[in-house]
Amino acid sequence: MKMRVLFPLISLLLLVASANSQQSVASLKPMHASALEQFLSSHKTHGFRPEHFLDKEYLKDIKKSFRKGFMPYYCFGDFNNDLIEDFAILLSREGEPKKTSDEIGTHTPDYPLTVVVFNGEKRGKFRVAFTE
């Protein structure tokens, strides 16, 4: 069941474009960067994932399809229809890929990554709504 939820979310992160290249937390929108920095300060095993982890040619091809400022691990929008902007980001976490199996016995690697969805709240605040 987890993979059924994660796959569309990770796909969304890989397909949504935004305004800058993803080089550092400072590349994100300022309010998003602040919320992410707070999250990372209390989750020391997680880290920002810059776009240079992707193959250069692959990233170049993606940017042709979308636009130069595409950020492969970050997206934002009103995910929960409350008229307040939310954002999601794919982070690195400590560990090595491990083989796992899902409910139907399919073996898939568990990469050391974490998807975090932040729901926007009034006054520009964000709360973690989902972590996997």
Side-chain angles (χ1 to χ4, degrees):
M1 185 67 168
K2 288 180 185 177
M3 287 306 292
R4 290 185 189 139
V5 172
L6 275 180
F7 183 74
L9 189 54
I10 290 171
S11 298
L12 177 66
L13 285 170
L14 292 173
L15 293 176
V16 174
S18 62
N20 303 307
S21 64
Q22 188 172 325
Q23 300 300 326
S24 69
V25 174
S27 306
L28 310 179
K29 288 185 167 190
M31 298 297 282
H32 299 174
S34 177
L36 179 58
E37 285 172 346
Q38 286 179 350
F39 177 85
L40 293 173
S41 72
S42 62
H43 294 82
K44 301 291 186 194
T45 60
H46 292 76
F48 181 78
R49 189 170 174 82
E51 68 182 28
H52 72 260
F53 284 125
L54 288 173
D55 176 76
K56 286 182 183 180
E57 287 302 313
Y58 178 68
L59 187 59
K60 184 178 172 183
D61 286 344
I62 290 173
K63 288 183 177 187
K64 278 186 207 172
S65 299
F66 294 100
R67 64 179 181 217
K68 262 188 180 174
F70 174 75
M71 290 194 197
Y73 307 121
Y74 166 66
C75 67
F76 53 87
D78 183 8
F79 302 155
N80 58 354
N81 295 317
D82 63 357
L83 303 178
I84 300 172
E85 186 175 82
D86 311 304
F87 74 100
I89 192 154
L90 187 64
L91 301 173
S92 298
R93 64 176 163 79
E94 287 181 355
E96 296 294 321
K98 298 175 211 157
K99 288 199 174 194
T100 63
S101 60
D102 59 21
E103 295 129 13
I104 57 174
T106 305
H107 293 283
T108 57
D110 173 20
Y111 292 103
L113 302 170
T114 299
V115 175
V116 183
V117 177
F118 293 83
N119 277 356
E121 297 180 334
K122 292 180 181 174
R123 297 187 192 110
K125 302 279 185 189
F126 290 89
R127 69 174 177 78
V128 175
F130 177 83
T131 304
E132 180 68 41

